[in-house]
Amino acid sequence: MICCVLLASGFGRRFGSNKLLYEMHGTPMYLYALQMLQTVSERKIGGHTVRVIVVSQYAEIEERTKRMGMQAVHNPDAAEGIAASIRYGVQAAGDAEWIAFFTADQPNLRADTVARFLDAAVGQKKPMASVTSQGTPGNPTVFHCSRREELMKLSGDVGGRSIMKHHPDAVFWFEISEAERCDFDVPPCSDENEPSAVDKPADVR
């Protein structure tokens, strides 16, 4: 099994507000990632079923996740930083062979790209994988279950990329476009930077 963990507990301090609930074309930013992962979970990738877990501190996100048929995990320790979300996600993933981590601020990331990335990641022999764009690493990332203990030991605002930095030869890199890799740390200057209307999630109830 591949367990896709959406990390949706951030405060958006650099953004200036809760960016996960920031509306782009009338749709909360997090919903783009949620809809994308729902689509990915309907496929079998590299012989593996795909399960989605959403870790959040926000009731709106948790409730929407459940309505869409995915697992929501409440994170009461969000103030610690990203490591808390990772630990809750890893715990919820149980005995999944692979754990993939996604952030909720990449509305341009497409399901087809993610499916190709996951298929390539689990099909090669390295225990970790990450997307990259012209040498710039980004999310999502994937970890084999053999890295579970290292993930569980993370603390503070330190994510899984710190593990990759300690084991660079154990990382598989997968190239995607800069537009898809890009995340939003500040509000977009104009609609030109927002996802196009055709990319708007179908489930906006």
Side-chain angles (χ1 to χ4, degrees):
M1 177 185 290
I2 302 171
C3 192
C4 294
V5 179
L6 180 62
L7 306 173
S9 296
F11 291 91
R13 293 187 178 94
R14 282 180 293 173
F15 196 83
S17 63
N18 186 345
K19 65 179 174 181
L20 303 182
L21 302 181
Y22 178 86
E23 292 198 353
M24 308 181 83
H25 290 292
T27 300
M29 189 185 299
Y30 80 87
L31 191 52
Y32 288 91
L34 197 58
Q35 179 72 30
M36 180 273 293
L37 287 175
Q38 184 182 51
T39 299
V40 172
S41 72
E42 294 169 353
R43 312 178 185 187
K44 204 162 188 176
I45 296 176
H48 297 268
T49 57
V50 179
R51 174 180 162 213
V52 178
I53 295 170
V54 179
V55 181
S56 184
Q57 63 168 318
Y58 301 109
E60 175 181 329
I61 296 177
E62 293 173 11
E63 290 167 5
R64 178 61 67 90
T65 298
K66 293 173 184 176
R67 289 207 305 271
M68 292 173 67
M70 292 172 280
Q71 181 181 357
V73 175
H74 183 67
N75 177 9
D77 302 314
E80 177 190 337
I82 193 171
S85 292
I86 290 173
R87 293 197 307 270
Y88 279 109
V90 171
Q91 288 174 337
D95 60 357
E97 183 175 357
W98 296 92
I99 306 174
F101 294 97
F102 296 79
T103 59
D105 59 357
Q106 292 177 283
N108 293 319
L109 189 59
R110 295 176 178 272
D112 286 344
T113 300
V114 168
R116 287 189 292 107
F117 167 57
L118 293 176
D119 184 62
V122 303
Q124 47 78 48
K125 298 186 182 301
K126 294 187 177 182
M128 296 179 284
S130 172
V131 301
T132 182
S133 299
Q134 300 179 355
T136 301
N139 292 301
T141 57
V142 179
F143 294 82
H144 186 259
C145 59
S146 60
R147 301 289 168 166
R148 191 177 192 277
E149 185 175 344
E150 291 174 88
L151 290 166
M152 290 298 294
K153 288 181 178 179
L154 293 173
S155 62
D157 203 27
V158 176
R161 199 163 300 283
S162 64
I163 301 174
M164 293 182 172
K165 287 180 180 178
H166 282 98
H167 309 282
D169 293 337
V171 182
F172 168 75
W173 298 98
F174 185 85
E175 185 75 17
I176 68 171
S177 70
E178 173 63 22
E180 288 193 74
R181 186 198 64 82
C182 179
D183 57 16
F184 286 83
D185 286 330
V186 296
C189 295
S190 69
D191 284 351
E192 293 179 359
N193 296 321
E194 296 189 5
S196 63
V198 297
D199 294 330
K200 185 174 180 179
D203 182 354
V204 292
R205 296 187 298 275

